[in-house]
Amino acid sequence: MSINRYLQKYRSALILIIILILLPLFSSEYIKVVAMQIFIFGVFAISYDILLGYTGIASFGHAIFFGTGAYVSALMMLKAGFSFWATIPFVVVSCAGIGLVIGLLTLRFATIYFTIVTLALGQFCYFLLTNALTYQYTGGDDGLHGLPMVLQTKNQMYYLALAFLLAAFFIAKKIISSPLGKTLVAIRENEFRAKMIGYNVLNYRLIALVISGIMAGLAGSFNAAMLRSVFPGFMGASTTIDVILMTILGGMGSLLGPVAGAALVIICQQYLSSYFEWWLLIFGVIFVLVVLFLPQGLISIVYRFRKKNTSGGLN
Amino acid sequence: MSEKQQPYILQTVDLTKSFGRQTAVNMVSLNILPGEFVSIIGPNGAGKTTFFNLITGAFKPDSGIIYFKGRDITKAKEFNRVQMGMARCFQITNVFPHISVLENVRLAVQAKSKHKYRLFINADKLKELTEYAHYCLEIVQLKNMAYQMAISLTHADQRKLEIAIQLASQGELMLLDEPTAGMSAEEVPAIVEVIKDIRKKEQKTIVMVEHKLNMVLSLSDHIAVMNYGMLIAYGSPREIKENQDVQSAYLGRKGDA
């Protein structure tokens, strides 16, 4: 493809990226923080989309990975003096390991069983953090604070978070158009048929869970680095519900949708909550409206303009 | 796994499967040679589909052994059997609904390729897979519908897609479970043509369950007749037509056909 055609095809994406690059130059500190949250939760939502939107696995414990990433980074930085970057390999290994264990225990059974077990495991991990026995390490309900700064200025952190989102998006895009990614969609569409054309469905689900877990773990550790604190809530059911909302509101099976969903949820959380006492009620109405009128999520507005269908999108 | 020297591609020995008190498949022993076209007929509930499910591994038999290409596969998993060269189409259409027709077939080709676990390559750029998928669609006469969603096809075309997916699996043994199920009389000849075409172009062993007797008699080398879970007759189409047991069990009841 020539550069011109390339530019044409990705024009709107490029404009959006340029806006995001220029944003810190004319925005307040507060907007930067909100934007960083969106970038990081965008990655978290992308990771959930690989699982729910592409593979068709509904996990109710996705925050386990987010929390693990955050706590592994925080503990290693605070207690062992590691730099943020040096903790990354440990985050990857621990999240991959947890993904493997959870997957091997539960993925061979019906999906509803997986959903319930992940919910229980998520709660278990949350109590593990807030337990009196682990208090001296995890700080219990208070969490851990005063993580060393990864980069000197807020602007640098902003660009790091943006680069993280772009990299995660690019990698996820690569994965879903690969033979493995296409097989995940086939499993979502018809697990039995996928088996009967010779795919080892369990292996593919495991791989999906591990990839998704690693990505969610990295989002967690970036979140810890950005806030310079971790809280047990990172591991809690409300974090899982947030990521489910982001993915469904934005549009499952589209990668970009969940990022838009992350933006919507975080903007609602930040702004509605400061203007309205009953903001959750308003948020609930927004949620119902989106589900009723845009069942394929926010991203379907974009598709409506482009009149193009995505190969991976749910119909 | 025990190795047995024999010419048969598929062999079942005293295969039995019960559901509660109902014995769906009762001591069925069947030997099929490579390249043969064998049809299984019998009244509804005779155990034909259960027999298929035992061969493909959807069910585990209570007793008996299944050999495929001389290897005991009685305990092998479904996907392993497919990897060994078994391909199956379903009585109830079973495709990937929200994926294009071409992708449905391409996925089956991919399952048999060395690329199936690759992560960082664009699947659509693996030309040889896509080309083979196009070839399979051509055989079943669906070439013009390659880019439609599978769910948008007519029932008859979805049946053809089933067969294309099966072809794409490149198995030596094709198991066709009522390929014309739910089709109108006008649509049947096209499927018969497709099956004949496959036999001509590809060296496949085909085992077919089917109710349409004219089709069975014209396509098959051998016919196996099942009733109440048991194999009551086996022979050439002519022998089966003349068999008394078969006539009383099945052929006599014209309403079933």
Side-chain angles (χ1 to χ4, degrees), chain A residues 182-183 186 193 196-199, chain B residues 94-113 123-124 126 128-143 145-150 153 157-170:
Chain A
K182 300 237 171 182
T183 309
R193 193 56 168 134
M196 291 312 299
I197 54 176
Y199 288 112
Chain B
N94 205 333
V95 296
F96 302 108
H98 302 113
I99 301 181
S100 76
V101 169
L102 178 67
E103 177 68 4
N104 262 273
V105 182
R106 203 198 61 80
L107 279 162
V109 187
Q110 182 183 280
K112 283 299 192 66
S113 77
D124 293 329
L126 298 165
E128 70 276 17
L129 303 188
T130 316
E131 271 161 27
Y132 195 77
H134 276 297
Y135 165 74
C136 296
L137 284 177
E138 199 179 325
I139 290 188
V140 301
Q141 301 155 7
L142 282 181
K143 207 172 172 52
M145 289 153 193
Y147 299 100
Q148 290 183 23
M149 288 254 181
L153 296 183
D157 284 342
Q158 287 194 9
R159 300 301 299 166
K160 288 182 186 168
L161 177 57
E162 271 283 330
I163 295 176
I165 291 173
Q166 205 182 3
L167 262 181
S169 290
Q170 298 161 63

Side-chain angles (χ1 to χ4, degrees), chain A residues 67-109:
Chain A
T68 302
Y71 271 84
V72 166
S73 282
L75 283 170
M76 291 183 76
M77 285 161 83
L78 285 177
K79 313 274 170 177
F82 277 68
S83 78
F84 172 69
W85 297 109
T87 68
I88 294 296
F90 294 90
V91 170
V92 170
V93 170
S94 52
C95 287
I98 290 171
L100 267 181
V101 171
I102 294 178
L104 283 173
L105 285 175
T106 57
L107 278 178
R108 66 179 69 243
F109 302 107

Side-chain angles (χ1 to χ4, degrees), chain A residues 36-304:
Chain A
M36 280 190 267
Q37 282 274 299
I38 292 172
F39 298 157
I40 288 167
F41 275 84
V43 176
F44 188 31
I46 286 175
S47 80
Y48 195 69
D49 197 26
I50 292 177
L51 216 52
L52 181 67
Y54 287 92
T55 321
I57 304 173
S59 162
F60 274 18
H62 205 50
I64 296 171
F65 297 107
F66 191 79
T68 302
Y71 271 84
V72 166
S73 282
L75 283 170
M76 291 183 76
M77 285 161 83
L78 285 177
K79 313 274 170 177
F82 277 68
S83 78
F84 172 69
W85 297 109
T87 68
I88 294 296
F90 294 90
V91 170
V92 170
V93 170
S94 52
C95 287
I98 290 171
L100 267 181
V101 171
I102 294 178
L104 283 173
L105 285 175
T106 57
L107 278 178
R108 66 179 69 243
F109 302 107
T111 28
I112 188 69
Y113 180 81
F114 176 81
T115 307
I116 299 302
V117 171
T118 49
L119 178 66
L121 283 172
Q123 290 304 94
F124 171 78
C125 291
Y126 179 77
F127 289 119
L128 214 58
L129 288 181
T130 51
N131 194 287
L133 290 170
T134 56
Y135 183 85
Q136 52 171 322
Y137 305 107
T138 63
D141 287 323
D142 305 328
L144 298 165
H145 306 279
L147 271 62
M149 283 188 25
V150 178
L151 292 169
Q152 300 310 310
T153 67
K154 195 137 257 168
N155 277 3
Q156 287 171 339
M157 268 316 280
Y158 174 92
Y159 289 120
L160 177 65
L162 178 60
F164 177 52
L165 173 64
L166 293 177
F169 183 78
F170 180 75
I171 290 170
K173 196 98 193 154
K174 262 282 197 249
I175 289 172
I176 56 149
S177 56
S178 72
L180 187 127
K182 300 237 171 182
T183 309
L184 297 182
V185 174
I187 290 169
R188 177 195 78 199
E189 285 291 303
N190 191 341
E191 171 192 349
F192 181 62
R193 193 56 168 134
K195 239 181 238 167
M196 291 312 299
I197 54 176
Y199 288 112
N200 184 340
V201 168
L202 178 64
N203 277 1
Y204 282 90
R205 284 196 173 141
L206 265 180
I207 294 170
L209 184 62
V210 167
I211 290 173
S212 166
I214 291 172
M215 212 176 244
L218 290 174
S221 71
F222 272 78
N223 200 40
M226 186 195 74
L227 296 176
R228 298 175 61 200
S229 304
V230 291
F231 304 96
F234 287 10
M235 197 80 106
S238 63
T239 305
T240 295
I241 291 169
D242 279 347
V243 81
I244 295 173
L245 283 180
M246 289 166 184
T247 310
I248 293 176
L249 280 177
M252 323 185 250
S254 63
L255 293 186
L256 204 54
V259 180
L264 179 73
V265 170
I266 286 170
I267 289 169
C268 284
Q269 275 173 357
Q270 295 294 334
Y271 289 93
L272 287 181
S273 65
S274 54
Y275 293 116
F276 304 99
E277 204 177 332
W278 290 5
W279 74 275
L280 272 172
L281 193 70
I282 299 170
F283 183 67
V285 171
I286 293 176
F287 182 70
V288 171
L289 288 178
V290 171
V291 170
L292 278 180
F293 295 106
L294 295 168
Q296 291 176 57
L298 293 174
I299 197 71
S300 56
I301 301 173
V302 179
Y303 293 144
R304 227 166 267 184

Side-chain angles (χ1 to χ4, degrees), chain B residues 163-229:
Chain B
I163 295 176
I165 291 173
Q166 205 182 3
L167 262 181
S169 290
Q170 298 161 63
E172 303 108 289
L173 174 65
M174 291 181 75
L175 300 159
L176 303 172
D177 195 354
E178 292 197 40
T180 65
M183 279 190 183
S184 65
E186 310 87 75
E187 290 164 333
V188 173
I191 287 282
V192 175
E193 280 314 304
V194 165
I195 295 173
K196 280 187 177 157
D197 207 30
I198 290 171
R199 282 213 83 189
K200 207 161 60 188
K201 287 185 183 147
E202 311 262 328
Q203 276 71 51
K204 304 271 189 203
T205 311
I206 301 181
V207 181
M208 178 175 79
V209 166
E210 186 51 74
H211 280 297
K212 296 188 176 64
L213 280 173
N214 288 338
M215 182 176 162
V216 168
L217 293 170
S218 73
L219 284 170
S220 315
D221 299 322
H222 288 101
I223 298 173
V225 187
M226 286 181 78
N227 199 15
Y228 297 113

